[in-house]
Amino acid sequence: MVTIDLSQTEITDANNRIRDCGRDGQDVEIINPDARHNIGVGLVDPITVNVQGSAGYFCGGLSDGAHYEIEHNAGWAVGDNIYSGSVVVGGNAGAIAGVAIRGAEIVVRGNMGSRAGQVMKAGTLCCGGNAAFMAGYMMYGGRIIILGNGAAKVGQDMSAGEIFVGGKIESLGNDTIIVDMEAGERDEIMEFLERYKMSYKGDFTKVVSAGKKLRYANSEPRSRPQPFFVSSNSSNYWNPKVQEDIWIKGEVGRYRIRGYGASKPVPHLNDIAFVKDVTSRQYKSEELQDVNLKTTVGGRYGAKPLSLSMPVMIAPMSFGALSRSVKIALARASRLSGISENTGEGGMLDEQREEADQLIFQCLSGRLGWNVKDMQRADAIEIYISQGAKPGLGGQLMAKKVTPELAAIRGIPQGIDLRSPSRHPDVLGADDLVIKVEEFREATMHKVPLGIKMGAGRVNDDIKIAYKDGFDFVELDGLQGSTGAASTEVLENVGIPTLSAVQEAIDGLQEIDAGDDMDLVMMGGIKDGVDVVKMLALGADCTSVGTSAIIAGGCIACMQCHVGTCPVGIATQDKEHEARYDIDLQSQNMHRYFESLRWQIASITKALGYDDVHKVSRDDLVALTPEAADITGLPLLSEHPVLNRPELGLEVLDRKAG
Amino acid sequence: MCGIAGVLYKQAGDHEIGKTLIEMLDGCQHRGPDSTGFALYGEDKDQLQLRFIVPTETQARQKAVDNIASLLARHGATIESEQSVGCSYQIAVNFEGDLLRFTKDIEEHAKLVSVGHTLDIIKDDGTAHELDSTYQVGEVKGTHGIGHVRLATESAVRPEAAHPFWATGFEDIAIVHNGQITNYWKMRRRLERRGFTFHTDNDSELVAVYLADKLKQGETLDHVLETAIADLDGTFSFLVSTPNEIGYAKDNLAAKPMVLYETDDMIAIASEEVSLNRLFPGQSINSTEPAPGTFQTWSRSI
């Protein structure tokens, strides 16, 4: 038994020692814990950690196989996301005890706070006392046993699993029902209680999902493929597209769902041009080799940054929205071009990990497929707050795509219309996020860069929070960002354009003198190397491409990604459809597309007179429209100080570029 | 987005309220590194104690101080003593009259952050320990106080936007708040129509004014907190202090953390147990987490 005194040891050092003990198979006791956060986070060996006192937030979180005994109280999210192992809390537990567990046993001998077992997938959460409101909120599976009373909204919006309440239930949550216990269930509970030396003689009330809201009442009908340019058509008001939309709404009685992003025209990078006369510059094509495009992302706090061959990443897209084959092809193309791939929501595939040299692992609100082992083999971690296609909403995955294989990796019931939560269970504000960031750092030994993915809404405020909360990088997604499924109202009308987003981000960071240590990755409608250079000139450090990569890899932009029967095998989980996808061919197509970006970025950089793409600046840009000038603060073409004084000539700028 | 803390010693006396709140706020400083503030209740002084935020640059500061002097003269208030420290200018004044009219006029022309005979609000950019070294918060003794650490999310990082907020026009009342009031503008317009003015866009100022308005109408603190939970939308945990009481209110969604610990001698409330545990190092304490939509108040013996 090794003793660690937290009054003498910083939590990071303590967790490193606990991990060492895990490797040696030695148990640990923690003295003077005094409710400190993140005790024992990220442990993947089956030792016992005895906390002699109270623990703070996330005790035992993101672990697999270990056993924790907390002699007194535990703070928020005790046992967060544990795969296997156990946590026993001698006293009370705060909110969201057992959040997102995938198989652990969590026992709270006293009372537990609100939203216990939120988005849990498997395992048992047991409470000797009373559970505060919304116990089992949005749970996907597993078992909650409450020996005392259950406060309001027991089982709110649960998809599956069972909740057994010994005492009174104040009220049931949405879409739940009380059913009789099945034969043997009581014996199983009693066996569990006996193992943890809890005595109980009374009866139980069993609460399960009523199952009325697991599917949309009316499925989104399969409409004719709607080419992007038709959907963007605004030439006449009541055009056939609008008519079809109204007819379908008359049929389904709700909002429409589709893939892709905003299809209406908004001010974008096309409304900006390079200010210099690039044709006057002569250079040999070999010289392009010497232009520095190398980009590192995420080195702010000393983690090993992503090292990209050019300022381009592949945007987060899930296995789920996309087929396994496409995720493999994307990973391969990313390796061939020396850029990074991103898991998106829904877990990491082994093949994807093997193919990609640099892989970002994304954590979403539903914690679908989220686990410590994949965190520790990721090259960067990204907390998803929202995305440009649907700021403020969770993902949607229609039942056709929720196959047994997909349900297994995500830990959810198969065949439901999956509507991911819009909020993280343990991040209800910037203050909670600080502690979450620390938990992720602890789970990855502070070695992995940590990013935040945000849809562009109130960027000026949000970017400051991201900076203060200690992220290494931000992936910021404008209105034009795409998705596999979202309501058209949100796709078209919520959020601000990518161009506004980058400007607000840069302004916001300047307002708090943030310097340039937090990397800004811009996405949402980046279609070529020209856009990449413009974005960097506006102030971004890197860009991210999703839709354009998919189009390079065979997508026909019919926008029916949500249906699940993608004709080219991309946005589908149907094996027959997926078989149409040629991984070798399409990964090469994507790779060549990425190489075209490289050539464009290098050529423009060189033509602007630089040997490094990170030297381009706002001075290289001019706004072509009043809207773009207004958004970015760039000079409008007709008012440009140099362009409108021909007597000065362009040499002025040339000298500046030096 | 913040951390909050409060302590009340039930018996009269010179308790180490400054040191206690510094410890508690240092324990949750991770929740709010931008600014820190204290509302401390010491002895009942004869003169009205006022604290202003003034510029730190010498010339601008003198101008602000001169301006305050002329404002006070306009209302027949005379300065007994003055002290200039950090970003603040503190004075004791002799004043008899309508406090609401007095402070309303002053607040239009100067950044008044604390008003009372027992209350002193000290707030600034920086951490609890940084404020202590500038303002000697640790030396303050009294019976109770509340404190706050702030991570600015929507309004600017400026000393006057830090918490605690005093309840405009009502002396010796302060609040600290963690959360977000989503019906801010609706409630603000309603209060503005009743003649109140707002000096920041910070939703916590709204909570202070809301409470002051109700208290002024003679309602008890308990009743005021009860109506606050019904009237204010959003996610919040807040603490309020009066010359003899502290109390909390927590929203119906329980989205913002709060734990409390009570003994025969004292009550301590904080966003996180780690702050409470600072007062009892090496011990396990039987803290409780208030239920959603609840409030409670505690009084000191007089």
Side-chain angles (χ1 to χ4, degrees):
Chain A
M1 176 81 81
V2 173
T3 303
I4 300 174
D5 183 350
L6 279 190
S7 70
Q8 308 291 327
T9 314
E10 291 294 322
I11 192 68
T12 302
D13 297 334
N15 281 335
N16 286 338
R17 283 180 62 192
I18 295 172
R19 266 190 295 270
D20 290 344
C21 290
R23 276 188 288 274
D24 298 343
Q26 269 193 309
D27 292 343
V28 177
E29 62 176 7
I30 305 284
I31 59 170
N32 295 316
D34 290 357
R36 288 181 178 84
H37 302 319
N38 297 317
I39 297 172
V41 161
L43 185 57
V44 290
D45 292 297
I47 59 165
T48 297
V49 178
N50 179 264
V51 181
Q52 297 185 358
S54 294
Y57 286 26
F58 297 120
C59 184
L62 297 166
S63 64
D64 191 2
H67 301 277
Y68 301 84
E69 298 159 0
I70 303 164
E71 296 197 344
H72 210 69
N73 297 336
W76 275 29
V78 63
D80 170 34
N81 195 246
I82 299 188
Y83 259 58
S84 66
S86 67
V87 182
V88 178
V89 180
N92 300 325
I96 43 175
V99 57
I101 54 170
R102 292 282 305 246
E105 294 184 343
I106 312 274
V107 174
V108 179
R109 297 198 189 278
N111 301 322
M112 58 185 188
S114 54
R115 298 179 286 120
Q118 187 170 348
V119 300
M120 65 183 276
K121 318 289 191 310
T124 300
L125 169 63
C126 176
C127 169
N130 302 323
F133 90 136
M134 280 202 201
Y137 181 36
M138 295 193 88
M139 67 190 281
Y140 293 108
R143 172 175 70 166
I144 299 179
I145 305 166
I146 300 163
L147 301 184
N149 301 328
K153 300 187 179 180
V154 171
Q156 175 87 352
D157 291 323
M158 63 193 290
S159 296
E162 301 99 31
I163 304 174
F164 301 95
V165 184
K168 291 196 185 87
I169 293 177
E170 188 181 327
S171 67
L172 288 174
N174 277 338
D175 200 28
T176 54
I177 189 170
I178 292 175
V179 294
D180 292 337
M181 289 185 50
E182 287 168 29
E185 264 178 347
R186 186 182 170 86
D187 292 343
E188 285 169 21
I189 292 172
M190 288 304 163
E191 181 275 326
F192 182 92
L193 295 177
E194 202 165 293
R195 251 186 317 119
Y196 287 97
K197 301 192 168 43
M198 301 169 88
S199 69
Y200 182 77
K201 298 200 167 49
D203 294 326
F204 288 102
T205 306
K206 179 179 174 184
V207 179
V208 297
S209 166
K212 290 180 182 147
K213 293 188 173 171
L214 297 178
R215 295 287 306 271
Y216 280 107
N218 298 302
S219 294
E220 184 72 20
R222 197 181 308 182
S223 49
R224 278 173 286 121
Q226 317 159 13
F228 194 82
F229 58 87
V230 172
S231 180
S232 320
N233 185 3
S234 56
S235 59
N236 53 65
Y237 199 76
W238 300 105
N239 63 47
K241 190 70 237 137
V242 173
Q243 292 174 37
E244 186 197 41
D245 187 56
I246 293 170
W247 288 328
I248 293 177
K249 282 174 179 158
E251 193 180 318
V252 300
R254 57 161 169 78
Y255 54 86
R256 301 287 310 284
I257 298 167
R258 66 165 172 82
Y260 267 59
S263 62
K264 65 183 179 190
V266 292
H268 194 38
L269 296 164
N270 284 349
D271 301 315
I272 288 175
F274 296 109
V275 76
K276 291 179 193 171
D277 178 6
V278 295
T279 56
S280 69
R281 294 179 183 277
Q282 298 294 317
Y283 59 85
K284 302 192 181 82
S285 60
E286 308 89 77
E287 289 177 52
L288 291 185
Q289 304 285 335
D290 302 329
V291 178
N292 180 49
L293 304 184
K294 285 202 169 56
T295 302
T296 57
V297 171
R300 183 179 177 197
Y301 286 109
K304 186 186 171 214
L306 294 168
S307 176
L308 310 170
S309 70
M310 58 178 159
V312 176
M313 293 177 167
I314 295 178
M317 294 175 280
S318 73
F319 166 57
L322 305 185
S323 66
R324 175 183 290 267
S325 300
V326 177
K327 289 308 287 176
I328 294 169
L330 281 162
R332 186 178 302 170
S334 76
R335 170 167 50 79
L336 294 172
S337 288
I339 61 176
S340 62
E341 155 69 340
N342 189 317
T343 63
E345 180 173 33
M348 186 186 289
L349 296 165
D350 288 338
E351 302 98 308
Q352 177 186 30
R353 176 62 278 188
E354 283 156 26
E355 289 279 1
D357 268 346
Q358 302 187 76
L359 182 58
I360 302 174
F361 187 28
Q362 209 184 40
C363 174
L364 282 93
S365 51
R367 307 289 155 80
L368 305 166
W370 185 246
N371 68 85
V372 65
K373 287 187 172 159
D374 288 336
M375 286 176 81
Q376 292 179 350
R377 65 173 179 160
D379 300 294
I381 284 171
E382 184 172 279
I383 298 181
Y384 169 106
I385 299 296
S386 66
Q387 69 186 90
K390 47 190 171 191
L393 297 179
Q396 300 208 22
L397 199 61
M398 300 301 104
K400 170 84 177 156
K401 283 180 164 181
V402 185
T403 61
E405 179 197 15
L406 192 108
I409 184 171
R410 294 191 175 208
I412 58 172
Q414 63 170 297
I416 61 171
D417 282 329
L418 176 65
R419 280 154 286 181
S420 300
S422 58
R423 282 170 177 273
H424 285 268
D426 40 16
V427 181
L428 298 176
D431 36 20
D432 304 326
L433 187 53
V434 171
I435 310 172
K436 191 75 193 162
V437 164
E438 274 310 300
E439 186 203 21
F440 281 8
R441 299 265 189 218
E442 290 298 316
T444 54
M445 291 78 96
H446 293 249
K447 289 177 181 164
V448 179
L450 188 54
I452 183 168
K453 166 76 187 287
M454 305 193 298
R458 291 157 53 156
V459 177
N460 191 281
D461 293 330
D462 294 345
I463 197 85
K464 292 173 186 167
I465 295 171
Y467 185 82
K468 291 176 189 175
D469 278 353
F471 286 97
D472 296 310
F473 67 95
V474 175
E475 234 187 316
L476 180 60
D477 190 10
L479 176 67
Q480 300 98 308
S482 288
T483 178
S487 90
T488 50
E489 289 80 359
V490 178
L491 282 170
E492 300 285 3
N493 299 298
V494 179
I496 62 172
T498 309
L499 197 60
S500 312
V502 66
Q503 193 60 47
E504 279 200 24
I506 297 297
D507 291 346
L509 289 171
Q510 265 172 11
E511 282 164 26
I512 56 169
D513 299 322
D516 56 2
D517 57 343
M518 182 175 76
D519 297 312
L520 177 64
V521 184
M522 288 303 307
M523 57 191 290
I526 306 284
K527 67 184 182 313
D528 54 26
V530 181
D531 286 353
V532 173
V533 180
K534 287 176 183 172
M535 209 33 117
L536 263 63
L538 282 166
D541 299 291
C542 187
T543 60
S544 187
V545 292
T547 307
S548 56
I550 293 296
I551 292 174
C555 172
I556 56 170
C558 71
M559 302 168 82
Q560 304 293 294
C561 321
H562 58 286
V563 177
T565 53
C566 177
V568 289
I570 291 177
T572 183
Q573 298 301 323
D574 182 315
K575 290 293 164 205
E576 255 178 60
H577 287 258
E578 186 178 349
R580 298 172 191 168
Y581 199 78
D582 185 333
I583 297 175
D584 293 333
L585 175 77
Q586 299 297 3
S587 59
Q588 286 296 331
N589 286 340
M590 288 192 272
H591 168 49
R592 279 192 297 274
Y593 165 69
F594 294 143
E595 293 313 301
S596 83
L597 297 185
R598 185 189 314 285
W599 176 83
Q600 279 184 312
I601 297 168
S603 315
I604 296 166
T605 303
K606 190 77 188 167
L608 290 170
Y610 304 107
D611 56 4
D612 182 342
V613 68
H614 299 288
K615 289 183 181 166
V616 300
S617 75
R618 291 170 62 90
D619 292 342
D620 298 316
L621 301 177
V622 62
L624 302 180
T625 65
E627 290 84 357
D630 185 51
I631 287 170
T632 60
L634 289 170
L636 185 60
L637 186 59
S638 58
E639 294 161 7
H640 193 280
V642 175
L643 294 183
N644 292 291
R645 293 180 63 193
E647 71 278 13
L648 291 179
L650 288 166
E651 292 73 23
V652 176
L653 286 169
D654 284 352
R655 273 202 301 280
K656 201 168 173 184
Chain B
M1 296 298 137
C2 340
I4 57 179
V7 65
L8 177 137
Y9 292 93
K10 293 173 182 173
Q11 300 303 318
D14 283 342
H15 302 278
E16 297 275 11
I17 52 170
K19 283 199 172 68
T20 302
L21 283 170
I22 290 167
E23 270 301 313
M24 292 174 82
L25 293 179
D26 184 56
C28 66
Q29 194 85 56
H30 53 266
R31 297 184 72 89
D34 286 335
S35 58
T36 305
F38 301 84
L40 303 161
Y41 290 82
E43 61 174 306
D44 194 353
K45 300 199 176 69
D46 292 339
Q47 285 93 21
L48 190 63
Q49 312 290 311
L50 306 177
R51 197 185 275 271
F52 296 86
I53 303 274
V54 290
T56 45
E57 190 269 317
T58 317
Q59 245 180 341
R61 188 187 195 94
Q62 192 54 50
K63 203 176 152 200
V65 166
D66 293 345
N67 176 45
I68 291 166
S70 68
L71 284 169
L72 293 171
R74 197 151 82 192
H75 290 271
T78 53
I79 299 179
E80 274 290 312
S81 65
E82 59 177 344
Q83 193 200 2
S84 214
V85 55
C87 71
S88 78
Y89 173 63
Q90 189 192 22
I91 50 177
V93 300
N94 296 303
F95 173 75
E96 306 285 336
D98 183 346
L99 187 74
L100 181 58
R101 259 178 56 196
F102 174 59
T103 54
K104 193 174 174 183
D105 183 40
I106 291 178
E107 280 196 301
E108 274 176 28
H109 304 99
K111 291 172 182 170
L112 179 59
V113 295
S114 180
V115 178
H117 286 88
T118 60
L119 167 69
D120 185 16
I121 292 176
I122 300 169
K123 56 187 186 179
D124 202 346
D125 299 347
T127 65
H129 284 298
E130 284 165 2
L131 261 72
D132 182 30
S133 62
T134 306
Y135 299 91
Q136 281 75 52
V137 178
E139 290 172 15
V140 180
K141 295 188 173 56
T143 45
H144 60 296
I146 57 179
H148 189 270
V149 295
R150 175 165 186 252
L151 189 157
T153 52
E154 284 162 43
S155 39
V157 181
R158 285 177 288 123
E160 60 267 34
H163 298 218
F165 281 93
W166 83 290
T168 309
F170 205 76
E171 65 181 280
D172 293 310
I173 308 282
I175 76 116
V176 291
H177 163 229
N178 174 25
Q180 195 175 24
I181 306 299
T182 46
N183 60 346
Y184 171 78
W185 288 106
K186 185 174 155 190
M187 294 299 294
R188 175 169 164 168
R189 277 191 291 273
R190 197 178 287 174
L191 287 160
E192 279 173 339
R193 278 199 297 275
R194 295 175 52 78
F196 290 94
T197 45
F198 286 78
H199 302 281
T200 71
D201 289 339
N202 192 315
D203 54 4
S204 311
E205 183 187 18
L206 176 97
V207 179
V209 174
Y210 172 90
L211 297 177
D213 180 39
K214 298 272 183 195
L215 287 168
K216 203 187 311 290
Q217 295 165 30
E219 295 179 16
T220 63
L221 185 59
D222 277 287
H223 186 245
V224 170
L225 293 176
E226 187 177 3
T227 56
I229 293 168
D231 284 348
L232 301 175
D233 269 348
T235 62
F236 56 83
S237 288
F238 66 79
L239 301 178
V240 55
S241 53
T242 73
N244 300 314
E245 301 157 292
I246 64 173
Y248 79 82
K250 191 165 168 162
D251 71 87
N252 289 312
L253 297 171
K256 287 291 153 192
M258 180 190 283
V259 283
L260 59 90
Y261 177 58
E262 187 171 8
T263 68
D264 290 344
D265 304 323
M266 55 105 75
I267 169 77
I269 311 173
S271 294
E272 298 174 9
E273 185 153 331
V274 68
S275 287
L276 302 179
N277 228 144
R278 282 293 187 97
L279 307 181
F280 306 92
Q283 296 176 41
S284 298
I285 54 174
N286 288 316
S287 64
T288 53
E289 187 174 336
T294 58
F295 63 93
Q296 198 174 342
T297 60
W298 291 263
S299 307
R300 69 185 180 100
S301 65
I302 304 168

